[in-house]
Amino acid sequence: MKAIRRFTVRTVLPDELAPLGRLAANLRWAWHAPTRAVFAAVDPDMWQAVDRDPVRLLGEVGSERLAELAADADFKTRLNEAAADLDRYLGAELWYQRLPSDPGAEPPSAIAYFSAEFGIDAALPQYSGGLGILAGDHLKSASDLGVPIIGVGLLYRHGYFSQSLSPEGWQLEQYPEIDPRGLPMTQLTDDGVPIRIVIDLPDARSLVAHVWVVRVGRVPLLLLDACQETNDPELRGVTDRLYGGGNEQRLRQELLLGVGGVRAVRAYCASTGHPEPEVFHMNEGHAGFLGLERVREYIATSGLTFEQALEATRSGTVFTTHTPVPAGIDRFPRDLVERHFSGDVALEGLPVERVMALGAESYEGGDPHLFNMAVMGMRLAQRVNGVSKLHGAVSRGMFQGLWPGFDRSEVPITSITNGVHAPTWVADEAFEMARRLVPDSADFDTAEGWEKVVEVGERELCDMRRALRERLVHDVRRRLRASWHQRGASDAELGWIDDVLDPDVLTIGFARRVPSYKRLTLMLRDKNRLKALLLDPQRPIQIVIAGKAHPADEGGKRLIQEIVRFADDPAVRHRIVFLPDYDMALGAALTQGSDVWLNNPLRPLEACGTSGMKVALNGGLNLSIRDGWWDEWFDGSNGWAIPTADGVEEPDRRDDIEAAALYQLFQEQVAPLFYDHDDDGLPKRWLEMVKHTLVSLGPKVLATRMVRDYVERLYQPAARSSRQLAADDLRGVHALAAWKQRVARAWPGVRIEHVEVTGMDEPPQVGGELMVRATLVLGEADPGDLCVEVALGRVDSFDELVDPSFAELSVVPGQEGEGPLVRYAGSVPLERSGVSGYTVRVLPKHPLLATPAEMGLVVVPEPAQGIGALVLR
């Protein structure tokens, strides 16, 4: 019989073991090895059986065993030490608390971090892929640094999905129900009554959610749960599955995350006394509606107009984009969104037409019938970033239409490259080895600290790598046997699994989501060549593959079936394996045990990718297309770059070219280096490459570096901007909003009438100056509101300026009474030789603008009037 509902009965711990409950309730155990060791000691076999989940462990262990432990002095000593260590960790003064704190420039009191998914641990399956894993690593690293972040997400009662395979190798999905009372979380209450978050919906309906609090070290993570009896069955399903349902379901999820998430933060701070956030961070467009709720708050509580509330909201908001392709953005039919923000469900003070304008694709190539969540996020945030240097450049091109008239390089989207949380992803053996060599963990922030790590002996490093590889081999065999049982095979048919993989063979890992651009099956372009690599008698390779296709992605499922059918071939199945149900636990095993991490996306469609970073920290190497983070940090010696067939438009031909390059790298460089052993049996050149990788990548790929970058480059500037606007009863908000409205009204009347240049009578020379005079018609604009610049740089074959330098021109004095024309003058130094060009432009100018491009307003002369070419000698 099948149960109609799942629930969890928690054990009652003896008083002597009460700290076990407190340790289990804080997910610091997910990355703290000593705490995990305490739970493992409770019952080692049970610990493995419950997939190393402390809450499940405490629910399964028997009362007799608990009584034994309560009488075990050694165990109680270890338990109390772990509990005391947690207390010290929660109360310690860490990096954030030691930041300079000048009066008026203190670090933000709190930051609210919104994401549709969070990958904290496999025991809390609230993630589908890289976005969620990145969000989880962000929270953990913020905790380790003492950054006062509040995480905000949704509690999906069926998570993403559990993946298995049919006998034919087709992906199957199951949705096991999650009981929040069996997870390390508590309900947010007021005097014992669950706090309700209510979202008004069309047709006189209301969506009600409760809030669960997950303790991620020092960081509270708030998860909103719509599975409440007060909701009708359809609305209970809003938080049923991650990325499930149609457009209306997704829109309701994002309303709950954004609007409901802000209300949950307010309720949490009121209930616990936690400082209110000064900065709100949208991790992708799913959380975009948080900006609308904050605009509504400012209007309701401070009496601001829409325009004023928008400026107050933008100043303290950060938006991170994670997608390099338009298809990766949530875009809803305009009429669907309009229905949720008009009539009886309109947010107070937010006219529906203003709401719709925020998400409108009102630029060349945009679709007027769609509401774009990323576009709304960018319009509601004063600071926007991509997640790698290359992705920042791609994003500037992708969203350039929001800032018309500006060159791609000037689009105000910066980048902060992702990182990974080392304590989560680095094997315990690697951590212990590193700690022996570098006792002070702060040294890991520098290359010098990592240079100490590589003083490890080559034999020890080689032995550690083999141990991790062997552990992966055993884990693969266990998982593969379970998968074949699910596919209908009997034990009598599975004896061959005992010989799958070899702990002494070069092991390649490949695991990720399965959209087409990730190219799961690129390795199969020439199956005979791949077989030859797998079965090479002297230098074989073995490959472990994992990945999930979205349940609605039939094309992705076909790719999985193709790789599974190849891996089922008895000739190669001991050398290549596809493992279903890719999750954090499998991801950790793969990134720790793989010698080489393979990544072959279609460049430049990988925003960042972080799995290869985890491999590097465990002493593995990367073999990747130069995309995402690898484009930024590959130095020619810390791995291999797969050559890309840039410019080849025909997809099949491009895949053939890049697959051939992949095979060649394996055959001629990777495998020979791995199997080239000296007289002591050590692959010295391989180990040298590993050590160089640790030094070159170690301090860069850490999520602590990433979070510090967010604090210093985005959170602190956002807090300063917000405080400047809020000072003196929001005086700055009123002034900036009025100034923007005045400038926007006057802007159509601003034009450049004439530009003249002196200093070119003789051939210009480096070290000289270009004297520029520009005559402008300002109309109703005030000269003090404008910045007039001359731009000078090299020119390409289309007379486009390349990497120009800028110099501001000044109003020429003594022009009173000379009519509507205003003259500006100035000079720009000639610092580079070659064919160059210049132009003049006009921008809005105000001290509270984050960038000159913020308003998207610029005036330039007609090319025939304003651009000239000169040769610098």
Side-chain angles (χ1 to χ4, degrees):
M1 290 184 294
K2 189 172 183 178
I4 62 172
R5 187 172 181 180
R6 175 182 300 204
F7 64 96
T8 302
V9 179
R10 294 196 177 187
T11 190
V12 178
L13 293 170
D15 291 342
E16 298 90 337
L17 303 183
L20 278 174
R22 193 157 56 85
L23 289 173
N26 191 309
L27 268 81
R28 188 195 182 210
W29 54 256
W31 70 93
H32 190 244
T35 303
R36 291 197 303 272
V38 169
F39 285 112
V42 170
D43 187 326
D45 293 335
M46 183 69 71
W47 177 242
Q48 296 301 324
V50 299
D51 297 324
R52 306 202 307 173
D53 178 343
V55 176
R56 287 179 60 193
L57 175 75
L58 297 182
E60 297 288 342
V61 68
S63 57
E64 291 182 3
R65 176 57 180 162
L66 291 175
E68 291 176 10
L69 293 171
D72 186 332
D74 289 340
F75 178 81
K76 287 189 291 184
T77 297
R78 293 176 61 190
L79 173 61
N80 291 329
E81 287 175 351
D85 184 77
L86 176 62
D87 291 336
R88 286 191 296 270
Y89 173 82
L90 296 177
E93 181 182 83
L94 301 175
W95 172 81
Y96 194 83
Q97 286 69 46
R98 295 191 291 267
L99 285 175
S101 185
D102 298 328
E106 298 87 357
S109 56
I111 302 103
Y113 180 89
F114 286 61
S115 181
E117 49 178 299
F118 286 92
I120 308 295
D121 186 81
L124 191 66
Q126 302 292 302
Y127 57 92
S128 72
L131 178 72
I133 302 303
L134 178 279
D137 282 8
H138 196 104
L139 296 195
K140 295 173 189 174
S141 297
S143 175
D144 290 344
L145 293 170
V147 181
I149 277 182
I150 303 173
V152 184
L154 302 179
L155 176 65
Y156 305 99
R157 288 298 186 107
H158 290 92
Y160 188 41
F161 66 89
S162 177
Q163 177 197 42
S164 59
L165 300 173
S166 74
E168 299 76 29
W170 188 256
Q171 172 179 295
L172 304 175
E173 299 95 24
Q174 297 85 36
Y175 295 89
E177 185 177 356
I178 295 167
D179 176 15
R181 289 173 177 80
L183 295 173
M185 57 179 65
T186 56
Q187 200 164 49
L188 183 63
T189 61
D190 182 10
D191 288 334
V193 178
I195 288 175
R196 301 167 75 250
I197 305 299
V198 182
I199 306 292
D200 292 330
L201 298 177
D203 304 320
R205 303 172 77 189
S206 293
L207 174 63
V208 178
H210 292 179
V211 183
W212 296 89
V213 183
V214 181
R215 295 289 168 186
V216 186
R218 298 164 66 117
V219 171
L221 169 60
L222 313 181
L223 299 178
L224 286 91
D225 177 16
C227 186
Q228 309 301 330
E229 292 185 359
T230 50
N231 290 325
D232 62 44
E234 181 185 11
L235 295 183
R236 287 177 211 164
V238 167
T239 55
D240 181 50
R241 300 177 184 179
L242 177 60
Y243 303 141
N247 276 332
E248 188 156 22
Q249 170 89 334
R250 289 289 296 276
L251 180 63
R252 289 169 177 167
Q253 284 186 337
E254 296 182 13
L255 282 168
L256 182 59
L257 175 61
V259 176
V262 173
R263 295 174 185 176
V265 168
R266 302 304 186 204
Y268 176 79
C269 292
S271 174
T272 64
H274 192 289
E276 292 279 355
E278 293 186 86
V279 177
F280 286 74
H281 184 175
M282 309 178 198
N283 192 41
E284 254 307 342
H286 313 112
F289 290 126
L290 78 83
L292 295 183
E293 173 63 8
R294 294 191 65 220
V295 169
R296 184 202 65 79
E297 286 182 332
Y298 277 115
I299 292 171
T301 62
S302 302
L304 300 182
T305 65
F306 178 90
E307 290 78 11
Q308 292 165 347
L310 181 61
E311 295 306 326
T313 297
R314 292 184 73 252
S315 64
T317 304
V318 173
F319 178 86
T320 298
T321 174
H322 287 262
T323 179
V325 290
I329 297 171
D330 277 349
R331 301 158 83 205
F332 295 109
R334 282 181 60 86
D335 58 350
L336 176 64
V337 179
E338 189 169 6
R339 194 163 63 88
H340 284 76
F341 286 97
S342 57
D344 292 341
V345 292
L347 294 179
E348 182 184 357
L350 276 67
V352 65
E353 63 273 10
R354 302 302 301 269
V355 171
M356 301 309 297
L358 289 169
E361 295 185 355
S362 53
Y363 44 80
E364 186 177 354
D367 189 332
H369 303 293
L370 293 177
F371 185 95
N372 188 309
M373 293 296 292
V375 165
M376 177 180 67
M378 292 182 184
R379 286 174 172 151
L380 285 166
Q382 196 175 46
R383 288 163 179 82
V384 181
N385 71 287
V387 291
S388 70
K389 188 174 181 180
L390 177 60
H391 179 235
V394 170
S395 298
R396 287 189 286 274
M398 184 173 166
F399 295 104
Q400 190 173 5
L402 292 176
W403 292 273
F406 288 89
D407 291 344
R408 177 180 298 192
S409 62
E410 295 182 291
V411 170
I413 299 177
T414 185
S415 64
I416 291 178
T417 303
N418 286 344
V420 297
H421 184 246
T424 294
W425 299 107
V426 176
D428 292 345
E429 296 90 336
F431 245 121
E432 288 305 314
M433 186 181 72
R435 284 196 184 106
R436 287 200 312 272
L437 296 163
V438 189
D440 186 351
S441 61
D443 287 348
F444 288 113
D445 295 334
T446 67
E448 291 77 17
W450 287 89
E451 287 170 358
K452 297 177 185 177
V453 171
V454 299
E455 292 174 5
V456 64
E458 291 172 342
R459 172 63 64 187
E460 183 181 1
L461 179 58
C462 193
D463 289 347
M464 184 204 74
R465 285 299 315 149
R466 190 190 184 282
L468 296 181
R469 194 185 312 119
E470 184 172 32
R471 189 162 67 208
L472 174 62
V473 168
H474 291 308
D475 193 37
V476 166
R477 291 172 182 172
R478 177 183 63 82
R479 290 173 180 271
L480 188 61
R481 190 178 300 277
S483 175
W484 273 101
H485 281 151
Q486 287 181 319
R487 294 174 71 180
S490 65
D491 284 329
E493 302 171 89
L494 300 179
W496 59 273
I497 289 180
D498 293 335
D499 297 317
V500 165
L501 304 188
D502 183 330
D504 292 310
V505 167
L506 172 60
T507 303
I508 315 300
F510 184 96
R512 50 206 6 98
R513 291 182 304 109
V514 191
S516 59
Y517 78 88
K518 301 275 191 181
R519 297 194 293 185
L520 172 71
T521 57
L522 185 69
M523 65 181 76
L524 301 184
R525 297 297 292 185
D526 186 337
K527 294 183 175 67
N528 290 331
R529 196 165 178 186
L530 177 59
K531 283 184 178 181
L533 289 168
L534 294 168
L535 303 176
D536 187 290
Q538 278 79 44
R539 298 184 301 213
I541 68 172
Q542 57 193 16
I543 307 175
V544 184
I545 306 164
K548 290 180 175 180
H550 187 280
D553 182 4
E554 297 296 307
K557 293 180 183 180
R558 282 192 290 272
L559 295 178
I560 289 175
Q561 186 177 47
E562 184 180 354
I563 205 93
V564 170
R565 285 176 171 172
F566 181 85
D568 284 350
D569 182 350
V572 297
R573 64 189 182 186
H574 64 299
R575 287 279 184 260
I576 183 168
V577 174
F578 180 89
L579 296 177
D581 214 18
Y582 179 39
D583 64 1
M584 289 184 69
L586 177 53
L590 275 170
T591 52
Q592 291 170 10
S594 296
D595 299 300
V596 174
W597 195 254
L598 175 62
N599 189 27
N600 47 231
L602 193 64
R603 188 179 190 272
L605 302 184
E606 179 93 283
C608 183
T610 57
S611 296
M613 298 179 181
K614 302 162 191 171
V615 174
L617 291 176
N618 281 287
L621 300 173
N622 279 267
L623 173 65
S624 176
I625 294 287
R626 290 197 64 167
D627 202 2
W629 75 275
W630 192 236
D631 180 75
E632 189 173 341
W633 290 334
F634 169 65
D635 67 5
S637 300
N638 55 6
W640 298 270
I642 304 169
T644 53
D646 293 334
V648 175
E649 299 295 333
E650 206 279 308
D652 283 339
R653 182 164 174 260
R654 178 168 183 167
D655 285 354
D656 286 340
I657 292 170
E658 295 182 4
L662 172 62
Y663 300 137
Q664 188 173 7
L665 279 169
F666 274 131
Q667 185 172 6
E668 298 182 3
Q669 296 188 41
V670 182
L673 197 67
F674 182 83
Y675 289 105
D676 180 18
H677 289 67
D678 64 7
D679 293 340
D680 295 324
L682 295 172
K684 289 186 71 70
R685 291 195 299 147
W686 182 276
L687 296 174
E688 288 171 1
M689 201 169 185
V690 168
K691 290 184 175 184
H692 172 69
T693 295
L694 290 170
V695 174
S696 65
L697 296 180
K700 296 177 182 176
V701 302
L702 299 178
T704 46
R705 183 274 311 155
M706 172 189 73
V707 172
R708 284 196 300 268
D709 284 350
Y710 273 102
V711 169
E712 294 169 351
R713 295 174 50 195
L714 295 176
Y715 296 161
Q716 286 186 293
R720 284 195 295 270
S721 294
S722 184
R723 290 167 185 166
Q724 283 180 303
L725 291 183
D728 299 327
D729 294 326
L730 298 165
R731 181 178 178 182
V733 167
H734 291 271
L736 181 60
W739 177 86
K740 280 191 173 183
Q741 291 172 343
R742 185 177 74 246
V743 169
R745 284 194 303 268
W747 200 256
V750 178
R751 71 176 188 271
I752 299 172
E753 189 76 8
H754 178 68
V755 177
E756 58 184 80
V757 173
T758 58
M760 293 198 301
D761 296 336
E762 298 293 333
Q765 294 185 341
V766 172
E769 287 188 330
L770 202 66
M771 306 301 296
V772 181
R773 296 173 67 89
T775 303
L776 274 64
V777 175
L778 300 188
E780 297 180 4
D782 188 307
D785 295 334
L786 307 178
C787 172
V788 182
E789 294 179 329
V790 56
L792 173 69
R794 293 190 179 93
V795 291
D796 61 17
S797 57
F798 300 99
D799 281 344
E800 291 287 334
L801 289 172
V802 179
D803 190 23
S805 59
F806 296 92
E808 187 171 353
L809 305 182
S810 302
V811 175
V812 176
Q815 301 184 61
E816 294 79 2
E818 295 190 16
L821 302 180
V822 180
R823 290 192 295 274
Y824 289 75
S827 64
V828 57
L830 304 178
E831 298 174 336
R832 298 180 293 193
S833 60
V835 178
S836 301
Y838 65 88
T839 189
V840 171
R841 69 177 183 179
V842 186
L843 303 167
K845 181 180 180 180
H846 193 283
L848 293 178
L849 293 181
T851 74
E854 180 175 322
M855 293 181 67
L857 300 177
V858 61
V859 172
V860 295
E862 294 296 325
Q865 291 179 284
I867 190 164
L870 59 153
V871 179
L872 300 185
R873 299 174 187 267

